[in-house]
Amino acid sequence: MMTAASGKRLGRVLVQSGLITQEQLDNALADPSGRSLSAVLVEQGVANDSAIARAIAETMGLAYVDMAAVDIDPAAATMLSVDMARRHTCLPIRIEDDELVVAMSDPANVFAIDDIRIVTGYDVRPVVAAESELLPSIDRFAAMQENVEEMVGDIESQVTEEGEEAAAEDGEAPVAKILNHVITEAIRQGAGDIYIEPGERDIRVRYRIDGVCQEIIRSPKKLHRQLLSRLKIQCQMDISEKRVPQDGRFGVVLDGKAVDFRVAVLPTVEGEMSVMRLLRRDSIMMSLEDLGFLDQPMQRVMEAINRPYGALLVTGPTGSGKSTTLYAAINKTTKPTVNLITVEDPVEYRLEGLSQVQVHEKAGLTFASALRSILRQDPDVVMIGEIRDKETATIAIEAALTGHLVLSTLHTNDAPSALTRLTEMGVEPFLSASAINCVLAQRLARRLCTACKEEYTPDEEALKRIGFPYEPGNPPRLFRAVGCNKCNNIGYKGRMGIHEVMTVTEDIERACVNHASGDEIARIAIEQGMLTLRDDGFAKVLAGTTSIEEIMRVVV
């Protein structure tokens, strides 16, 4: 509803912007219907809703948001009651720098801003949105709140009548609908993990998108036990066991795409928390060319894969994309004429055309015992999920020396350290140096959003301090993150690999046999043309695909 005071305040802004004249404003204010000024101006054909919002934003020096493109944080949106949101035609869209960012059709309404500040306890940062886009968004979140409240009520009555386990087992139960909604949204938003975490009074659901956690929703604590019970049933876990960690998996198909979920449940002081890792089957069909390799590192990796024997090791911390790279390498080697066997813990992706072995340590099926049996199957290519101990490392190295191509992962910070790590495990240096063709170290860095990245000239002193290559007096033009609707104001969208590829040459073999340190091996590799992780990252900064800040975050 439009009050005379609020209509006049907004009208003055529109006249000042030049979008409407004083006469058009007076005619609109004289409308007896009580509708908002924007609605009246649109009906009278003076201006469209989007133009009004953009003019307000420009005149008041505020940001304009497209409600159809912006990702709204449900935790922020539900801070206001539906009645207040509709009364002031506003909707909180996120929390940023301890401020509540609120989309408003009338940011000149200081009384609305004061009301929001009092109710939420946050300082308010208004942004401008078209009224015709705000109202459907408010209605959508109102419906979501009503549905959650209705589901909670349904769950309480169902548990009262049937018991917790029966309610959780019912595929049509409200708790199943909530879990399905969380899973579906995670897939559509491109999340890598889903966290369901119990607190003292509520439960928090977060998605990890592009390596960064984002809170999606908070729900009443009373949902927790039923939600975890439903998840356990879906993963074939023990629903009655709540004292020890459990693991499981399940799969779904959404929009014609298959996604596997690897689930881990862990008891905490507030109840059981769960983490669901999303394993998209289409991601393992990626080729090495899609992973962000520069030409020279790519050539080195391909040379190693195309050799009939030897080992290719992929190193890096957890979550650095090692498995994806290994599967991309497997895609290069999988042929009807090749016998390819993998041993993994767990088997993350189930693929056609190769034999996959799941480690089962309680039953005595370890990496080492599985690898011994695999070698009796006359494989051409062997993929080992991870080299964890001396026994596995020794068998893998021996397999690489006896006519097998071995692909595996190892936890080291850089490529040269892989050779010294194997020596520390107890593998003879002359064996590992002879067996390994190539070591690939990698990290994952976020890509700059192509819609909003900003070109700038960096400070030369800052470039010199971090060792960035440039010509003195002629610093390069680089790009940095800004943030827009398409990237949820983060400035980054998607990820790519940062790579360090070391080919094991005769000089490196000799150094390894002589028990050289990792630093000495690295020096030789660099002299022979190896690009370090930092070099590779800086090359991608110069190409405009990522920022210096991101490379320093993931590499240093």
Side-chain angles (χ1 to χ4, degrees):
M1 299 289 287
M2 176 179 69
T3 65
S6 65
K8 288 179 180 177
R9 281 194 303 271
L10 184 61
R12 284 196 295 269
V13 172
L14 294 175
V15 171
Q16 183 182 347
S17 72
L19 184 68
I20 64 174
T21 65
Q22 185 63 47
E23 183 182 353
Q24 289 170 329
L25 172 61
D26 293 339
N27 291 337
L29 291 174
D31 184 90
S33 65
R35 291 171 300 167
S36 69
L37 177 62
S38 297
V40 174
L41 290 171
V42 170
E43 183 183 320
Q44 293 180 350
V46 175
N48 65 56
D49 210 15
S50 177
I52 292 171
R54 290 180 186 278
I56 294 170
E58 186 175 349
T59 304
M60 296 185 67
L62 301 174
Y64 168 81
V65 295
D66 179 358
M67 295 302 292
V70 71
D71 287 329
I72 301 170
D73 181 355
T78 53
M79 283 187 173
L80 286 189
S81 68
V82 175
D83 288 343
M84 180 177 284
R86 284 175 174 154
R87 182 168 68 251
H88 295 310
T89 319
C90 64
L91 184 68
I93 57 175
R94 65 179 177 276
I95 299 168
E96 192 174 272
D97 299 330
D98 292 328
E99 292 181 316
L100 187 64
V101 181
V102 182
M104 308 180 70
S105 63
D106 181 9
N109 188 343
V110 292
F111 299 109
I113 293 173
D114 285 342
D115 285 350
I116 297 167
R117 184 186 297 112
I118 291 168
V119 168
T120 65
Y122 279 91
D123 287 335
V124 176
R125 187 197 306 172
V127 294
V128 187
E131 183 178 318
S132 60
E133 295 177 0
L134 262 173
L135 293 174
S137 297
I138 295 169
D139 291 341
R140 186 170 70 252
F141 274 92
M144 185 186 76
Q145 282 182 284
E146 290 169 6
N147 287 340
V148 170
E149 291 170 3
E150 182 182 340
M151 287 177 183
V152 174
D154 289 347
I155 289 169
E156 289 176 333
S157 63
Q158 189 171 18
V159 172
T160 302
E161 294 170 7
E162 304 175 15
E164 177 182 324
E165 186 169 340
E169 287 178 349
D170 183 0
E172 297 300 319
V175 70
K177 294 177 182 176
I178 292 177
L179 185 59
N180 290 341
H181 173 74
V182 168
I183 289 169
T184 299
E185 284 303 306
I187 295 171
R188 288 180 172 156
Q189 292 188 33
D193 299 281
I194 305 171
Y195 299 88
I196 300 177
E197 303 161 305
E200 185 178 354
R201 298 182 180 85
D202 55 16
I203 56 175
R204 177 175 66 171
V205 178
R206 292 191 295 168
Y207 295 161
R208 184 182 292 277
I209 301 174
D210 291 338
V212 179
C213 287
Q214 300 177 20
E215 184 173 321
I216 301 303
I217 196 169
R218 286 182 182 264
S219 294
K221 184 70 177 281
K222 63 186 78 173
L223 286 177
H224 180 243
R225 293 181 66 182
Q226 290 77 41
L227 200 58
L228 264 291
S229 295
R230 175 65 192 170
L231 183 60
K232 287 181 180 179
I233 290 167
Q234 203 156 339
C235 299
Q236 299 182 339
M237 297 180 189
D238 183 353
I239 190 174
S240 63
E241 182 57 76
K242 298 177 173 64
R243 300 165 298 173
V244 297
Q246 296 188 68
D247 298 301
R249 65 186 303 147
F250 65 94
V252 301
V253 177
L254 181 67
D255 300 331
K257 295 183 179 179
V259 181
D260 290 328
F261 286 78
R262 194 176 77 203
V263 183
V265 174
L266 177 69
T268 71
V269 292
E270 298 294 349
E272 292 176 293
M273 72 168 288
S274 72
V275 180
M276 290 179 266
R277 168 68 56 88
L278 282 71
L279 307 169
R280 292 172 175 79
R281 296 181 191 175
D282 55 353
S283 70
I284 57 170
M285 301 313 293
M286 295 175 69
S287 67
L288 285 170
E289 291 82 1
D290 296 329
L291 301 181
F293 279 92
L294 298 177
D295 290 341
Q296 188 242 47
M298 181 67 183
Q299 183 181 351
R300 291 185 169 205
V301 171
M302 290 303 301
E303 287 173 357
I305 291 173
N306 290 330
R307 293 182 66 175
Y309 57 88
L312 168 64
L313 300 183
V314 183
T315 76
T318 301
S320 60
K322 297 188 298 295
S323 295
T324 301
T325 300
L326 273 187
Y327 280 115
I330 285 175
N331 289 335
K332 287 287 185 184
T333 58
T334 303
K335 301 172 187 174
T337 56
V338 172
N339 182 17
L340 198 158
I341 305 177
T342 76
V343 52
E344 306 168 66
D345 182 22
V347 175
E348 293 188 336
Y349 300 101
R350 294 173 185 176
L351 303 175
E352 295 291 335
L354 65 152
S355 303
Q356 295 174 274
V357 178
Q358 168 79 54
V359 167
H360 195 311
E361 293 194 359
K362 289 183 180 178
L365 184 60
T366 62
F367 274 111
S369 62
L371 193 49
R372 281 196 208 95
S373 298
I374 283 172
L375 294 177
R376 299 189 193 108
Q377 307 296 322
D378 192 25
D380 299 298
V381 182
V382 179
M383 193 274 268
I384 306 167
E386 182 184 344
I387 294 177
R388 298 178 179 174
D389 52 51
K390 176 184 176 181
E391 192 175 9
T392 305
T394 301
I395 299 170
I397 293 300
E398 289 175 352
L401 287 168
T402 54
H404 305 87
L405 179 61
V406 176
L407 310 174
S408 188
T409 69
L410 195 65
H411 284 280
T412 64
N413 288 329
D414 57 17
S417 299
L419 295 174
T420 56
R421 175 74 179 122
L422 290 171
T423 302
E424 291 166 3
M425 282 185 175
V427 179
E428 290 293 340
F430 71 90
L431 289 177
S432 56
S434 301
I436 296 172
N437 297 335
C438 180
V439 183
L440 161 62
Q442 74 174 47
R443 301 289 189 275
L444 288 178
R446 293 178 294 176
R447 293 179 183 270
L448 284 168
C449 173
T450 56
C452 66
K453 65 181 183 180
E454 178 183 72
E455 191 175 11
Y456 75 107
T457 302
D459 178 66
E460 287 194 44
E461 186 60 34
L463 295 179
K464 184 178 180 181
R465 190 165 54 248
I466 64 173
F468 193 93
Y470 74 99
E471 182 183 337
N474 186 28
R477 298 285 291 172
L478 304 180
F479 289 87
R480 59 189 169 197
V482 177
C484 66
N485 295 336
K486 291 186 178 179
C487 61
N488 198 23
N489 286 287
I490 295 172
Y492 299 93
K493 195 170 183 65
R495 290 193 288 179
M496 64 181 175
I498 305 298
H499 305 102
E500 177 178 283
V501 182
M502 182 184 77
T503 300
V504 179
T505 63
E506 289 183 7
D507 291 337
I508 292 175
E509 278 188 48
R510 196 175 301 113
C512 184
V513 171
N514 292 330
H515 296 276
S517 66
D519 289 342
E520 178 63 19
I521 293 172
R523 183 188 62 77
I524 297 170
I526 292 169
E527 287 177 357
Q528 296 179 345
M530 181 186 78
L531 295 176
T532 65
L533 286 166
R534 182 180 284 208
D535 293 336
D536 191 86
F538 286 163
K540 286 161 185 173
V541 170
L542 285 169
T545 54
T546 189
S547 67
I548 285 181
E549 292 77 14
E550 181 67 3
I551 294 303
M552 299 305 290
R553 181 182 74 86
V554 300
V555 172
V556 177

